[in-house]
Amino acid sequence: KKIKLIPVDIKSGEIPLYVEVLCRTRVKLINFLKKNSIEARPFYPDISTANYLNKDSEKIKLSNYHKYGLYLPTGPNQKLSDIDRVISKLRIFDQL
């Protein structure tokens, strides 16, 4: 309900480097995960927020990814038990 997984289209050649989600209450989710010893970080700022762009003359489509995007723990060293734990905590947060 609160957390949306950003889909990856592997069939068209996309490579999932990170587990990316969107959450409108991202700060609360980060704090919840941190209290449960799970590291997560927000997305980098959207390029459209760069001060050097002339926003008046260029048509820039603003996305909400930089506001709501979050990287979850990833990497080849992730144990299945750790992945299950993260999923379990996300389900708990989603029901709060």
Side-chain angles (χ1 to χ4, degrees), residues 9-95:
D9 189 356
I10 295 172
K11 289 181 182 179
S12 70
E14 290 182 15
I15 300 171
L17 298 177
Y18 305 103
V19 176
E20 302 169 326
V21 298
L22 295 175
C23 180
R24 291 197 177 269
T25 56
R26 177 175 72 179
V27 173
K28 288 181 181 180
L29 177 55
I30 290 172
N31 291 333
F32 174 81
L33 292 173
K34 187 175 184 177
K35 286 179 186 176
N36 287 281
S37 302
I38 298 171
E39 195 174 316
R41 62 185 172 88
F43 279 13
Y44 297 111
D46 193 291
I47 188 69
S48 64
T49 63
N51 291 332
Y52 57 84
L53 292 177
N54 182 351
K55 294 176 178 112
D56 293 332
S57 65
E58 298 177 29
K59 296 191 186 244
I60 298 172
K61 181 181 177 187
L62 295 173
S63 74
N64 288 323
Y65 281 36
H66 71 282
K67 290 182 187 176
Y68 307 123
L70 180 71
Y71 297 110
L72 296 176
T74 57
N77 295 329
Q78 292 290 316
K79 298 176 188 172
L80 288 178
S81 59
D82 291 339
I83 294 169
D84 287 339
R85 190 169 154 277
V86 171
I87 292 169
S88 173
K89 296 300 179 185
L90 290 174
R91 286 183 174 147
I92 291 168
F93 179 83
D94 206 42
Q95 298 302 314

